[in-house]
Amino acid sequence: MDRVAIVYYQRDEQAEKQATALSAKLRPFELRSELFEVASASAHELIFFDAIVLAGPLHFSRLHGLALVKAVFGYRPVALLVTGSRDPARVLRLLPGRMRGEVPVFAIGTPSAQRIGLDPLVTWLRAMIGYSGYRSIAS
């Protein structure tokens, strides 16, 4: 069974709610997930997961936990789940140029997003872990 780390911003109720909902949506596909608060997560423990999702709001042009994504990028597939932002594509400006085409951004709570809801994120995770031949060295 493959493992997904879902890291969420603990001060945002929507982020925690969506992280829990994502975890439930992954179970039928035999993707086991663990929830981590941004404040207590570390790149050293996240590296042992097969994929990482960071969930939180884009608040004052910041996304809490982005340093974790930068630390594990290149070692594991990572995705961003932006909650309640009017323009989730703005988060890409916060990433280094080499990451912009590689880190997908999914959105909740905004009608202008290209990838809306958790279902596209679940599909992406299944493709990255289960069907692309990607396997963790920790497996």
Side-chain angles (χ1 to χ4, degrees), residues 31-54:
L31 293 174
R32 188 176 46 179
S33 61
E34 289 186 41
L35 299 174
F36 296 91
E37 293 180 350
V38 167
S40 61
S42 76
H44 296 291
E45 63 188 340
L46 296 180
I47 202 73
F48 292 104
F49 286 83
D50 297 304
I52 294 95
V53 176
L54 174 63

Side-chain angles (χ1 to χ4, degrees), residues 47 49-50 52 68-79 98-99 102-103 128 134 137:
I47 202 73
F49 286 83
D50 297 304
I52 294 95
L68 292 169
V69 169
K70 291 176 184 177
V72 298
F73 177 76
Y75 298 101
R76 296 290 179 261
V78 294
R98 64 185 170 81
M99 293 175 65
E102 302 292 325
V103 177
M128 291 307 293
Y134 171 81
I137 57 173

